[in-house]
Amino acid sequence: MTASSPADTHPASADQALRRLHAELGAAVTVDAAALAAARFDKSGWQAPGVPLAVVTARSVADVQVALRIATEFRVPVVTRGAGTGLAGGACGTDGSIVLGLAAMDRILEINPDDELAVVEPGVINQHLNDALAAHGLWFAPDPASKAISTIGGNIATNAGGLLCAKYGVTREAVLGLTVVLADGSLLRTGRRTVKGVTGYDLTALLTGSEGTLGVIVEAVVKVRPIMTGQTVTIGAIFPSVAAGAAASALITAGRLRPAVMELLDPVALGFIRRYLGAEATAGLPTGGAFLLLQTDRPAALTEAEQALAVLRAAGGDARMESDPLAADRLLAIRRAMHPALAAHGTVLIEDICVPRSRMAEMFDVIAEISARTGIAIPTVAHAGDGNLHPNFIVSHRVETDADGAAEPDPTIPEEVWAAADEMFRAALRLGGTLTGEHGVGVLKRRWLRDELGETNIDLQRRLKAVFDPHGLLNPGTMFDVIERIIATHTITP
Amino acid sequence: MTASSPADTHPASADQALRRLHAELGAAVTVDAAALAAARFDKSGWQAPGVPLAVVTARSVADVQVALRIATEFRVPVVTRGAGTGLAGGACGTDGSIVLGLAAMDRILEINPDDELAVVEPGVINQHLNDALAAHGLWFAPDPASKAISTIGGNIATNAGGLLCAKYGVTREAVLGLTVVLADGSLLRTGRRTVKGVTGYDLTALLTGSEGTLGVIVEAVVKVRPIMTGQTVTIGAIFPSVAAGAAASALITAGRLRPAVMELLDPVALGFIRRYLGAEATAGLPTGGAFLLLQTDRPAALTEAEQALAVLRAAGGDARMESDPLAADRLLAIRRAMHPALAAHGTVLIEDICVPRSRMAEMFDVIAEISARTGIAIPTVAHAGDGNLHPNFIVSHRVETDADGAAEPDPTIPEEVWAAADEMFRAALRLGGTLTGEHGVGVLKRRWLRDELGETNIDLQRRLKAVFDPHGLLNPGTMFDVIERIIATHTITP
């Protein structure tokens, strides 16, 4: 234990838990100050207050069971963590918690081409699974933007989305079965290896997107698909306004075309990307306009692209089609530069609302109005086929301080930014939308949960959580407030 | 109340409940003996023992709420029923229960082509929704074989499958949100109108397939799709054995082809169909062989069909391709004749196991072995793309009795048939499969639930049910045994 360990402030039970963790899990347990500090962050920039009790690096199902048995015995909270790439604070190690790291459980246990499934440990990186599947002509469809760095376990825990959802579905649709360690250390198996199956309640779907609040996923059976055959065709289109771009994307859907990718960038987003990539790489991108990026795939790619091109031009777009991979890459690079451009700029609150597709233009209007009134820049990109918008609230700017380069910006999100986000969330709900399309509620969106779900629903959800986690130890503070803690007692009567 | 009403045997609370139902719901309540008797059956042929208390024909959400409030007040069980087309006994009115009929709640409330969704009451017939959607170029993908007669509410309650699942998914993937009346009469809204959304637990998925045991679905927001463009191409192939047909269908999947339909009929099934349709309509169908039916669709239909044809011929199939709709219909008619042929023959236990696709040939072997040993004919059809087999146990034969035609056969399933089915279920589980791919557990498969799910899972499921239905009033006996009844009490502590 290092000198900076917070152990001297522990209540007795935490001390006992820590001793037991060391005794039973040995080197898998660390209380190194740097490791504890690192476990308090995720990619949202949010930092959990206080200091975790310990970080456990699990390497087996048995390790996870031991950690949870000890946590339950001593009533110590557990925060499950994969690669720490979440955007809602859901995997940030809270004060006094055991951070249960699963990134080292990274084995692909089986690839079964005949049954089109794979069995993986939770720490497998999404892209690593895809690399291994490619040799079999197969592909795991869920494609969060973080796929190069995020784990399958995290993808399942948040029911991750991505760019291809409108055509290929969200993570839930690719999960066949799970093995889960429950709060008391017991092992639950859900789902199956078959394509269909309706025996009992769909616990697999209930656990998918449950953000570590119901159990710890230690193994997953996932559905994989044949790699797409045929070429991919890419279209880039410039519109005079984001409203015009949104209208054009609605016409694509109304025309019953189903591009694999349809991304819409607003003028503010394009401004940041232009500054980041430079004039040469963004030649042709207008100032003040919006950019719509489409990709069609599979055997009908070219036909569909030609139809889409006609729709976009009729809608006033300056559209061009690229079937050459290099030229297509130049168009894709504009979209891909969005997050690096913002990250380079400073601290950003990345948001994630989703509205019915028909209300997307209105949602863009609301965002522009909030931005104009508050003075907060809100560059926005949308998965336009889904109505899923990512408005990015620019919080603070990176400042050049000395010869060593830029100082790290303050990661705190000030209350006036949350007030602007609050307005936006309420507008999304008013338009029939949701707080979060794919990032999860985590810690950061908890306070709006009741507004979206209503009393009956949230009450039921809390009671369901209590069935899985009667002592409220799993990711407390994620999804639900910790103030009330529900204890369920169950009596079996004849 | 008719003379044959069982009211004279009611406990006092049932009498009070009935009086309140009459007082509050008037003509919507019937205790007519014929109506009560009819509510005890579904399409499985199973008949619930005893007599229901009453049948309520709900016409509004308010009617459902009233019925459930009365049921909870007087602790009377409620069996929810749509069109009564289930195959597992899950909607059969049990002794003393209120049968809550939703077939009259049959309005399509909204079709929204921009957002590609529809909002329906639960009693809307699947095919009626599709008829209404066709005018908008849209289509509701879940396609149980019963689609002409089954309701969307029933499809959701059983998470119905169908012929197109391997390519277009099961019902769960088409349900965006639900409105549900809980046991106490309160209204729960789940899900959303957006394509994506991860706020809170996925109660929509939990309720889909819950067979009326968690709440009563009174409204659904369903996802619809653009109608397929391009021709449909149909292939019929004859194989010397069902093992050869199963191997060929595995090669189709391994070849990364994804036909919309891939149905495999075994020699016993073909025998029944040949006798039913006659020699002319089944010319070319061999005695002792198996029949594989494929359909490809969308723009690449012809290319895919040609590839499939090559695979089937290389696998020893006598295969021919029909793009002419009339010729294709002759091939489809063979598959469609399966259920009428069996129904005309006598009493049949329709089963519904699903195994990993790679184990399908083994499963056919097990069925043939059981049939040979027990002397029970078991004609079997499989959704071969899913590994979902429907073995049909021939129980009794229709006998010509007099000039009026055939006498109704005895619908009872004898214990020796259940013993044979038991062997088959255990084999399916041993092969990594499931008891039910798409029909549900209902009453008829309850006794094998524990074998598939295991103790931890089933215990958790029962406690989840208790959160929704603390008095165990919703479809008691469906999915779980009624012997144990779990009462959950919840205390909120700070």
Side-chain angles (χ1 to χ4, degrees):
Chain A
M1 202 176 291
T2 68
S4 60
S5 155
D8 48 354
T9 64
H10 294 165
S13 63
D15 264 344
Q16 287 177 297
L18 194 54
R19 271 199 297 274
R20 280 281 294 284
L21 286 171
H22 279 297
E24 295 198 33
L25 294 169
V29 183
T30 180
V31 292
D32 172 70
L36 297 181
R40 293 166 58 202
F41 283 96
D42 68 5
K43 292 279 181 193
S44 71
W46 187 72
Q47 183 179 16
V51 183
L53 179 68
V55 174
V56 171
T57 302
R59 296 188 187 277
S60 67
V61 174
D63 285 355
V64 174
Q65 290 184 288
V66 167
L68 284 169
R69 274 191 210 113
I70 294 172
T72 285
E73 183 177 346
F74 297 103
R75 302 289 192 268
V76 179
V78 174
V79 175
T80 305
R81 189 174 172 92
T85 60
L87 290 168
C92 295
T94 49
D95 195 41
S97 64
I98 297 168
V99 176
L100 183 54
L102 305 181
M105 289 179 70
D106 61 354
R107 289 179 304 161
I108 297 171
L109 302 171
E110 179 185 351
I111 290 177
N112 188 321
D114 291 336
D115 293 328
E116 293 184 348
L117 60 82
V119 183
V120 296
E121 290 189 329
V124 173
I125 300 290
N126 180 309
Q127 186 60 55
H128 294 177
L129 176 60
N130 273 304
D131 294 344
L133 288 169
H136 303 274
L138 295 168
W139 167 62
F140 179 60
D143 72 320
S146 61
K147 65 189 293 181
I149 53 170
S150 64
T151 64
I152 308 278
N155 296 168
I156 296 172
T158 55
N159 190 12
L163 271 63
L164 302 175
C165 300
K167 187 158 187 175
Y168 296 106
V170 294
T171 299
R172 187 193 69 175
E173 278 140 43
V175 184
L176 295 172
L178 295 172
T179 305
V180 173
V181 179
L182 297 176
D184 64 3
S186 62
L187 210 59
L188 170 72
R189 289 179 203 280
T190 75
R192 48 196 63 84
R193 291 170 64 94
T194 55
V195 176
K196 295 196 275 192
V198 293
T199 305
Y201 302 134
D202 192 345
L203 299 187
T204 309
L206 184 67
L207 285 154
T208 301
S210 66
E211 303 190 29
T213 63
L214 299 181
V216 177
I217 296 166
V218 290
E219 194 178 300
V221 184
V222 297
K223 186 160 81 176
V224 299
R225 296 165 174 264
I227 282 181
M228 289 168 283
T229 54
Q231 65 182 147
T232 297
V233 182
T234 306
I235 296 175
I238 307 290
F239 288 89
S241 69
V242 75
S249 74
L251 288 171
I252 292 286
T253 302
R256 302 300 162 232
L257 292 164
R258 187 60 49 101
V261 169
M262 185 157 64
E263 300 281 301
L264 177 60
L265 293 143
D266 81 346
V268 189
L270 288 182
F272 277 87
I273 291 167
R274 199 181 296 105
R275 286 189 290 279
Y276 179 72
L277 289 181
E280 197 179 335
T282 57
L285 275 192
T287 308
F291 180 66
L292 188 66
L293 176 80
L294 274 80
Q295 276 195 326
T296 57
D297 63 4
R298 305 213 164 237
L302 193 60
T303 316
E304 285 182 15
E306 279 163 358
Q307 291 169 339
L309 202 64
V311 171
L312 298 177
R313 285 177 177 159
D318 173 10
R320 65 194 163 113
M321 184 167 90
E322 303 285 5
S323 47
D324 169 60
L326 279 177
D329 262 357
R330 280 195 294 275
L331 293 175
L332 282 171
I334 295 169
R335 167 64 182 91
R336 282 204 208 100
M338 175 85 177
H339 281 293
L342 299 179
H345 185 80
T347 299
V348 176
L349 173 64
I350 301 171
E351 277 311 333
D352 172 43
I353 52 177
C354 192
V355 294
R357 281 179 284 225
S358 60
R359 314 306 292 271
M360 201 168 56
E362 287 167 82
M363 196 65 232
F364 270 109
D365 283 348
V366 169
I367 293 166
E369 190 278 322
I370 292 173
S371 176
R373 183 158 38 77
T374 60
I376 301 166
I378 315 178
T380 299
V381 58
H383 306 310
D386 302 335
N388 185 193
L389 294 86
H390 293 306
N392 297 273
F393 292 70
I394 303 292
V395 174
S396 65
H397 301 245
R398 204 174 284 271
V399 185
E400 298 288 333
T401 49
D402 54 30
D404 293 339
E408 281 305 309
D410 178 358
T412 314
I413 308 294
E415 261 317 301
E416 62 263 28
V417 172
W418 281 119
D422 173 77
E423 275 196 73
M424 182 193 68
F425 292 139
R426 289 180 196 286
L429 294 178
R430 221 163 34 237
L431 293 173
T434 176
L435 294 173
T436 172
E438 54 187 18
H439 294 169
V441 174
V443 170
L444 297 179
K445 266 181 276 196
R446 205 172 59 197
R447 61 173 124 164
W448 292 277
L449 194 67
R450 198 167 293 266
D451 297 313
E452 177 169 341
L453 298 181
E455 289 299 326
T456 303
N457 188 312
I458 209 168
D459 173 61
L460 196 63
Q461 299 221 3
R462 295 184 67 107
R463 288 189 285 135
L464 294 178
K465 171 167 169 67
V467 168
F468 283 86
D469 179 23
H471 305 297
L473 299 177
L474 299 181
N475 272 17
T478 286
M479 206 181 289
F480 305 107
D481 294 323
V482 277
I483 300 148
E484 315 154 58
R485 186 179 288 179
I486 294 173
I487 307 295
T489 53
H490 300 277
T491 344
I492 293 181
T493 59
Chain B
M1 203 176 291
T2 66
S4 60
S5 154
D8 47 356
T9 63
H10 293 164
S13 65
D15 264 344
Q16 287 176 296
L18 194 53
R19 271 198 298 275
R20 280 282 293 285
L21 286 171
H22 279 297
E24 296 198 33
L25 293 169
V29 182
T30 180
V31 293
D32 172 70
L36 297 181
R40 292 166 58 203
F41 283 96
D42 67 5
K43 291 280 180 191
S44 72
W46 187 72
Q47 183 180 14
V51 183
L53 179 68
V55 173
V56 172
T57 302
R59 295 188 188 276
S60 67
V61 174
D63 284 355
V64 175
Q65 291 184 286
V66 166
L68 284 168
R69 274 192 210 112
I70 294 171
T72 285
E73 183 178 346
F74 298 103
R75 303 288 191 269
V76 178
V78 175
V79 175
T80 305
R81 189 174 170 94
T85 61
L87 291 169
C92 296
T94 49
D95 195 40
S97 64
I98 298 168
V99 177
L100 183 54
L102 303 181
M105 291 179 70
D106 62 354
R107 289 178 304 160
I108 297 170
L109 301 172
E110 179 185 351
I111 290 177
N112 188 321
D114 292 336
D115 294 328
E116 293 183 349
L117 61 82
V119 183
V120 296
E121 290 188 329
V124 172
I125 299 289
N126 180 310
Q127 186 60 54
H128 294 177
L129 176 60
N130 273 305
D131 294 344
L133 287 169
H136 303 274
L138 295 168
W139 167 63
F140 179 59
D143 71 321
S146 61
K147 65 189 293 182
I149 53 171
S150 65
T151 65
I152 307 277
N155 296 168
I156 296 172
T158 55
N159 190 15
L163 272 63
L164 302 174
C165 299
K167 187 158 187 174
Y168 296 106
V170 293
T171 299
R172 188 192 71 175
E173 278 140 43
V175 184
L176 295 171
L178 295 172
T179 304
V180 173
V181 179
L182 297 176
D184 64 3
S186 61
L187 210 59
L188 170 72
R189 288 177 204 282
T190 75
R192 48 195 65 82
R193 291 169 64 93
T194 54
V195 176
K196 294 196 275 193
V198 292
T199 304
Y201 303 133
D202 193 344
L203 298 187
T204 309
L206 184 67
L207 285 154
T208 301
S210 66
E211 304 189 30
T213 63
L214 299 180
V216 178
I217 296 165
V218 290
E219 195 178 299
V221 183
V222 298
K223 186 159 82 175
V224 299
R225 295 166 175 263
I227 281 180
M228 289 169 283
T229 54
Q231 65 182 145
T232 298
V233 181
T234 305
I235 296 175
I238 307 290
F239 288 89
S241 68
V242 75
S249 74
L251 287 171
I252 292 285
T253 303
R256 304 299 163 234
L257 293 164
R258 186 61 48 103
V261 169
M262 184 156 65
E263 299 281 300
L264 177 60
L265 293 144
D266 82 345
V268 189
L270 288 182
F272 278 87
I273 292 167
R274 198 180 297 107
R275 285 188 291 278
Y276 179 71
L277 289 181
E280 195 180 338
T282 56
L285 274 192
T287 307
F291 180 66
L292 188 66
L293 176 79
L294 274 80
Q295 275 197 326
T296 57
D297 62 3
R298 305 213 164 236
L302 194 58
T303 315
E304 284 182 15
E306 280 163 357
Q307 292 169 340
L309 203 62
V311 170
L312 298 177
R313 285 177 177 161
D318 172 10
R320 65 196 162 114
M321 184 167 90
E322 302 285 4
S323 47
D324 169 58
L326 279 177
D329 262 357
R330 279 195 295 275
L331 292 176
L332 282 171
I334 295 169
R335 166 65 181 91
R336 283 205 208 99
M338 175 85 176
H339 281 293
L342 299 180
H345 186 79
T347 298
V348 177
L349 172 65
I350 301 172
E351 276 312 331
D352 171 42
I353 51 178
C354 192
V355 294
R357 280 179 285 224
S358 60
R359 315 304 292 271
M360 201 168 56
E362 286 166 82
M363 195 65 232
F364 271 108
D365 283 347
V366 169
I367 293 166
E369 190 279 321
I370 293 173
S371 176
R373 183 159 36 78
T374 60
I376 302 167
I378 315 178
T380 300
V381 59
H383 306 312
D386 301 336
N388 186 192
L389 294 86
H390 293 305
N392 298 271
F393 292 71
I394 303 294
V395 173
S396 64
H397 301 245
R398 205 174 284 271
V399 185
E400 298 290 331
T401 49
D402 54 30
D404 293 339
E408 281 305 308
D410 179 357
T412 313
I413 308 293
E415 262 317 302
E416 62 264 28
V417 172
W418 281 121
D422 173 79
E423 275 197 73
M424 181 193 68
F425 292 140
R426 291 181 195 284
L429 295 178
R430 222 164 34 235
L431 293 173
T434 176
L435 293 174
T436 171
E438 55 187 17
H439 295 168
V441 174
V443 170
L444 297 180
K445 266 181 275 194
R446 207 171 56 196
R447 61 174 125 164
W448 293 277
L449 194 67
R450 197 168 294 266
D451 297 314
E452 177 170 340
L453 297 181
E455 290 299 326
T456 304
N457 188 312
I458 209 167
D459 173 62
L460 195 64
Q461 299 220 5
R462 295 184 70 108
R463 288 189 286 136
L464 293 178
K465 171 165 169 69
V467 168
F468 283 84
D469 179 22
H471 304 298
L473 300 176
L474 299 180
N475 271 18
T478 285
M479 205 181 289
F480 306 107
D481 293 323
V482 279
I483 300 147
E484 316 155 56
R485 186 177 289 180
I486 294 172
I487 307 295
T489 54
H490 300 277
T491 342
I492 293 180
T493 59

